[in-house]
Amino acid sequence: MSDAERDNVARLEGIKKHIAYDWKFASHQPLSLAEASVKLRAEESTTKSVHPISGKDIQTDVCRVASLSPVEDEFSHGEIEVKEGEKWLYWGVFDGHSGWATAKVLSSILARRVARHLGTLTDEGIRDVESVISAFESAFLELDDEIMSDGIDAMSENIPHAEAMCRIAPTSSGSCASLVFLDPVSSMLYAACSGDSRVVMGQSNKPEAGWTAVALSKDQTGSNPDEVSRINAEHPGETPINGGRVLGCEVTRSFGDSRWKWPRDSISLWQNKFFGLDFKDDYLTPPYITAKPAMQSLQLVPGSFLIIASDGFWNHMASDDDAVYCMEMWLENQKKEEMGGSDCTATDGEIPKSSGSTGYAYNWNVSREEFVVENENAATHLVRNAFGGSNTDLFCGMMSLKSPDSKQARDDTTAIVVFF
């Protein structure tokens, strides 16, 4: 072979390699550990507020990592007036499904609606636990009823099609809601849960004894025996729950989700004129799902922390105890940093080598042995460890995927950590 022929072969081989590279990575670029970490931190934040009574700082760390586009997780937190001259603090995570519109509405309105109902209570009633719980329940149900009714009204009113479909969107999609209010006068926490976002308190009365996880919510799903009993009692003679789902829906409490709430004729109208979906099988006596929250209250212990997170986080964190243990590692590292040392592991720019893993199901769980402390933001710390922790091969693999492929590895994920 002549020199010219060899040069031509080398040139063709180079073209083949270039084409192969472009083809292999045209849709997704593999992220290095440093790049994946930057993506993880893209929507993190830290906010400090002042306790209205004690004057002490309350720190709120937030991390949201989108999987879908548009993202279906929303959150909100802040200070809100419940009565003239009296403000409470609140934190909420809203995990949307079948679209983003319902969660967007809740993040803007739900806390204000609860505050409005609390404002109707007497001075004695607002310190009464049962009265406050009743106000939460009324606010949740009232807002969901408005969402449901407005979708039906939009289909029957003589308005432009585009306007009708935009008004239908918060009804046809759905969202879980976990909303926590703090009464600064009584130091009582109120946790309202509709769906499977979860609220967990980390408490340590005796630091040498470690931290204890206190559950402030239960997953409201078709796998919850209490929910199965409730729904069966509401629909005698039917079997709406099959395989842990209510006519195909995993959660038993949520906002929106018209396919499980609307009358049959409204669903038919939606399907025939507004690109809606058909009935679920055995759709006989709606509604099958409610927005009424499951409520818990707890006297706040100073020095404790609160975790509120969507199921995108809990899908991979094995238990409430593991999440609190993961936070305990972070707190111990904070102490070491204050003393001039830290166990934080610096991330580098290299694509990590494989850990030898052979693949993961969507609902895999990270183990405590893989927990690592690498982030200053506590919520980001939790999400990093839910996504693999020290298993950097898994972490980078998950973070390299883009929507819609990323849904096969991770859901939209939001975590809030509050330090009291």
Side-chain angles (χ1 to χ4, degrees):
M1 182 182 294
S2 66
D3 289 344
E5 290 174 327
R6 280 193 293 271
D7 289 343
N8 190 48
V9 168
R11 182 180 64 82
L12 291 174
E13 287 299 318
I15 291 173
K16 288 180 182 179
K17 288 181 179 180
H18 180 71
I19 292 173
Y21 179 86
D22 283 350
W23 175 81
K24 288 179 180 179
F25 298 110
S27 61
H28 296 84
Q29 289 293 326
L31 300 181
S32 68
L33 184 54
E35 291 168 334
S37 298
V38 169
K39 185 176 180 178
L40 174 72
R41 299 193 304 268
E43 291 190 80
E44 70 174 10
S45 64
T46 296
T47 306
K48 290 189 177 181
S49 54
V50 177
H51 190 289
I53 305 299
S54 68
K56 292 183 179 179
D57 283 343
I58 296 177
Q59 179 172 314
T60 300
D61 284 3
V62 180
C63 179
R64 181 175 72 173
V65 180
S67 178
L68 296 172
S69 181
V71 61
E72 295 179 352
D73 270 15
E74 294 290 342
F75 62 90
S76 62
H77 61 89
E79 187 178 73
I80 195 164
E81 186 171 79
V82 299
K83 293 182 79 68
E84 186 175 358
E86 181 172 338
K87 294 182 178 180
W88 290 20
L89 301 175
Y90 74 92
W91 302 265
V93 169
F94 312 102
D95 180 4
H97 47 259
S98 303
W100 55 270
T102 316
K104 197 72 173 180
V105 169
L106 298 183
S107 67
S108 301
I109 296 176
L110 186 57
R112 286 188 287 159
R113 187 60 58 89
V114 171
R116 191 172 81 183
H117 279 256
L118 291 173
T120 66
L121 299 178
T122 64
D123 291 342
E124 294 76 19
I126 204 166
R127 301 281 98 83
D128 177 68
V129 171
E130 292 304 317
S131 297
V132 171
I133 288 175
S134 179
F136 265 88
E137 292 172 347
S138 297
F140 273 54
L141 289 171
E142 178 185 81
L143 179 57
D144 191 53
D145 286 345
E146 290 179 10
I147 292 171
M148 291 293 102
S149 298
D150 190 63
I152 293 175
D153 291 344
M155 293 190 296
S156 59
E157 294 173 2
N158 185 22
I159 59 175
H161 207 72
E163 180 182 337
M165 294 192 65
C166 288
R167 285 172 57 184
I168 293 168
T171 305
S172 59
S173 61
S175 180
C176 303
S178 285
L179 184 64
V180 178
F181 269 51
L182 170 63
D183 175 358
V185 176
S186 66
S187 294
M188 187 68 72
L189 278 171
Y190 294 93
C193 177
S194 293
D196 57 4
S197 295
R198 200 177 300 174
V199 183
V200 178
M201 178 68 74
Q203 291 184 342
S204 179
N205 295 325
K206 296 180 179 180
E208 66 276 7
W211 291 80
T212 300
V214 180
L216 291 181
S217 69
K218 290 183 179 179
D219 294 350
Q220 306 299 312
T221 69
S223 299
N224 181 331
D226 293 335
E227 289 296 277
V228 173
S229 297
R230 177 182 66 80
I231 292 176
N232 285 340
E234 292 175 355
H235 303 275
E238 300 181 51
T239 55
I241 295 184
N242 184 19
R245 290 176 174 264
V246 185
L247 300 184
C249 185
E250 184 173 3
V251 295
T252 55
R253 306 193 189 211
S254 68
F255 286 81
D257 285 326
S258 56
R259 282 183 90 192
W260 291 268
K261 295 177 182 176
W262 270 352
R264 292 174 66 94
D265 59 349
S266 296
I267 294 179
S268 294
L269 179 60
W270 175 47
Q271 179 191 19
N272 294 330
K273 292 190 176 181
F274 297 94
F275 309 102
L277 300 174
D278 200 357
F279 303 108
K280 304 299 294 184
D281 292 337
D282 301 321
Y283 193 80
L284 303 176
T285 57
Y288 290 93
I289 294 175
T290 179
K292 182 179 180 179
M295 295 288 305
Q296 293 198 45
S297 60
L298 179 71
Q299 192 75 38
L300 179 63
V301 176
S304 56
F305 61 83
L306 183 70
I307 301 171
I308 313 172
S310 61
D311 71 337
F313 172 77
W314 298 108
N315 282 341
H316 308 306
M317 188 62 62
S319 68
D320 297 354
D321 288 331
D322 283 341
V324 170
Y325 175 79
C326 191
M327 275 300 306
E328 185 174 357
M329 290 179 59
W330 185 89
L331 290 166
E332 286 297 319
N333 190 76
Q334 291 294 107
K335 290 181 181 178
K336 291 179 180 179
E337 285 187 338
E338 292 173 0
M339 298 174 64
S342 173
D343 288 338
C344 279
T345 304
T347 56
D348 57 41
E350 299 300 319
I351 297 177
K353 296 180 180 179
S354 172
S355 62
S357 57
T358 57
Y360 293 84
Y362 176 78
N363 62 344
W364 53 267
N365 293 130
V366 70
S367 67
R368 292 190 180 191
E369 290 73 22
E370 294 174 313
F371 288 168
V372 65
V373 181
E374 294 190 358
N375 292 96
E376 290 295 323
N377 184 292
T380 307
H381 162 76
L382 285 177
V383 175
R384 176 187 288 277
N385 284 292
F387 286 0
S390 62
N391 187 342
T392 54
D393 181 46
L394 172 62
F395 172 68
C396 289
M398 291 180 67
M399 297 302 292
S400 293
L401 292 174
K402 296 181 180 180
S403 180
D405 301 327
S406 53
K407 181 68 173 179
Q408 306 307 315
R410 55 184 170 85
D411 198 357
D412 292 331
T413 300
T414 302
I416 296 178
V417 180
V418 188
F419 298 96
F420 297 102

